[in-house]
Amino acid sequence: MVQGVSEIAAMCVGLIGLIGAAATTGMPMWKVTAFIGENIIVMETRWEGLWMNCYRQANIRMQCKVYDSLLYLPSELQAARGLMCCSLGLSGLGLLVALAGMRCTSCIQNNEWAKTILLMVAGGMQLMACICVFIPVSWTGNVIIRDFYNPLLIDAQRRELGEALYIGWVTGAFLFASAMLFLCRRIPSEKGSFDVYQQANLLGYRPAPRKSTLMSYHPISSVSSLQSTAYHPSL
């Protein structure tokens, strides 16, 4: 009962992580314009994401433009694209594998060992998806903080942490929790490997009565028999 509830909880948490990873990948709010100084135009906000950058004027009109060239993008943005796509694939595939290994499904019936292995494989996929989310989000956040305190950059070039980064960190936490729920389980033994004695046989066990074994002793009948069988050399 407890394992069934943990499997359902892991699926729900993993589904939330998958939705969060998809939202983090598609949102353009990875880098936001930093309003510093008196010369910054606060009526215009610039957002930079993995696939496009957007301009919003006076909270009314927003225009987005997809990046023209992939090679023009910085290295952390290119790596973030690949890692976030990998996290989506791993998380989605892990949930499908976990669905086949759950107790409430009819896949692989009467094989508890195979179902447990499938759930552990799904947990490993969720853990790798968590790592693929944490790396680009933390890397991008580090670059933003480093450039923010860089004295060589002007105020218009500085950026702040966007909403997508915070959603990415929360998504990584959900994926990690789902992975732990899938991985923290006991692997059952194969059928017939350790079931040597049945419980009923152990309760109804009665020792067999011991039979005393007497060693038979055959005394030598007479000395004449020895003499008859003795060796007589020929004269």
Side-chain angles (χ1 to χ4, degrees):
M1 181 65 183
V2 177
Q3 292 185 358
V5 173
S6 66
E7 292 172 2
I8 296 175
M11 284 291 297
C12 295
V13 175
L15 184 60
I16 295 174
L18 178 60
I19 296 174
T24 305
T25 305
M27 289 177 63
M29 296 84 155
W30 283 62
K31 299 179 181 180
V32 185
T33 303
F35 300 111
I36 305 172
E38 299 178 356
N39 297 325
I40 299 297
I41 302 176
V42 297
M43 298 295 292
E44 181 177 295
T45 305
R46 181 177 180 180
W47 296 334
E48 298 178 9
L50 298 180
W51 313 98
M52 64 186 71
N53 54 6
C54 299
Y55 294 91
R56 188 173 184 178
Q57 298 177 356
N59 295 328
I60 298 175
R61 183 181 180 184
M62 184 174 64
Q63 296 179 349
C64 296
K65 180 182 179 182
V66 181
Y67 295 125
D68 296 331
S69 176
L70 177 63
L71 301 178
Y72 180 75
L73 300 177
S75 58
E76 70 272 6
L77 197 58
Q78 297 180 17
R81 277 186 172 186
L83 290 174
M84 291 303 297
C85 292
C86 289
S87 68
L88 287 174
L90 288 171
S91 180
L93 185 60
L95 292 179
L96 292 178
V97 174
L99 189 63
M102 294 181 65
R103 294 173 181 268
C104 58
T105 59
S106 59
C107 298
I108 317 177
Q109 294 181 351
N110 301 326
N111 195 339
E112 191 69 19
W113 185 83
K115 281 182 171 290
T116 305
I117 293 300
L118 285 178
L119 291 178
M120 296 187 70
V121 171
M125 290 182 178
Q126 292 291 91
L127 185 60
M128 289 188 292
C130 166
I131 296 174
C132 290
V133 169
F134 273 129
I135 289 177
V137 171
S138 302
W139 189 2
T140 305
N142 181 43
V143 171
I144 293 174
I145 296 173
R146 183 193 62 192
D147 293 341
F148 188 85
Y149 294 104
N150 188 1
L152 301 179
L153 296 179
I154 61 176
D155 293 340
Q157 295 177 336
R158 303 179 194 276
R159 297 292 181 266
E160 290 184 353
L161 302 176
E163 293 85 351
L165 299 183
Y166 296 102
I167 296 177
W169 281 315
V170 176
T171 297
F174 274 98
L175 292 175
F176 181 79
S178 176
M180 291 299 102
L181 288 174
F182 281 132
L183 290 174
C184 294
R185 59 188 61 251
R186 181 180 62 86
I187 301 179
S189 58
E190 294 183 2
K191 185 177 180 181
S193 58
F194 294 99
D195 300 334
V196 180
Y197 298 102
Q198 301 291 335
Q199 187 69 18
N201 294 337
L202 291 176
L203 294 177
Y205 174 76
R206 295 291 184 275
R210 298 181 61 185
K211 296 181 180 180
S212 60
T213 57
L214 298 178
M215 183 177 62
S216 60
Y217 175 71
H218 301 283
I220 300 176
S221 60
S222 61
V223 182
S224 59
S225 62
L226 293 175
Q227 293 179 355
S228 62
T229 58
Y231 175 72
H232 298 284
S234 59
L235 298 176

